[in-house]
Each structure stands twice: as structure tokens, then as C-alpha cells.
Amino acid sequence: MKAGNVALVIVSHSRMIARGTADMVAQMVGSEVTALPCGGDPDGGLGTSVAEIDAAIREAFAAGAPGVLVMVDLGGAETNSEMAIEMLPEAMRSRIQISDAPIVEGAIMAAAE
């Protein structure tokens, strides 16, 4: 990740969509932006995991991101992202935004910007 770039956390109910979106960001933007996928429930089905979202956000900050944009696909992903963010220290929470833009297109546009 290039210093100063916000990281993306891609939260989808589908593990494949989250991973595919992160792969597209990497292929189109390169290593300039970190895109971390969070998708599916812990058993491999559709859903999202508060713990996985929390871990991805912490990973982004540990890698040096000054902020994190959490991209969500559906309402449950947004709710779980909000819950994960609430569990973080205030110093992190103030540097996180949630976006419900179209997940694939939005992630590519955010990374390019």
C-alpha cells in the first residue's frame, strides 16, 4: 500500500464477490490501494461476520492506512460493519467511512481516486 492511501474493506454477503472485487481493484490499480475482502458467513454460506470485518479494518490500519472506506453490498453488511466499527477505539472509528455505493464499480472508482 502506498503511504497516505485509504484502504478499502469490501463487505459482501458472498465470499466470491468480496474476493473478486478485491482482485479487480488489485489488477486495475495495483498495490497503490489495499482492498481487503470480507464475505460470507463463517460456515461458508451467504452472510457477513462482525469479527471478520473488525479484523480486516484492524489489518488495514496495521498496514499503515490513514483511513478505511468500508464498501457494503446489502443492509446486513452495513449493520454488521457498523457493529464492528463501534467495537474499535475512537482513534480508529473517526477514520472510517461506510459506503453503500455499487460494490464493484464503487470499489474500482474509490481505488482509482
Side-chain angles (χ1 to χ4, degrees), residues 5-6 8 24-26 28-30 32-33 69 104-113:
N5 284 343
V6 170
L8 303 177
M24 286 183 70
V25 168
M28 296 183 85
V29 181
E32 297 292 310
V33 174
L69 179 62
V104 176
E105 298 89 343
I108 301 296
M109 296 290 290
E113 290 299 315

Side-chain angles (χ1 to χ4, degrees), residues 16 27 42 104:
M16 291 174 58
Q27 288 180 32
V104 176

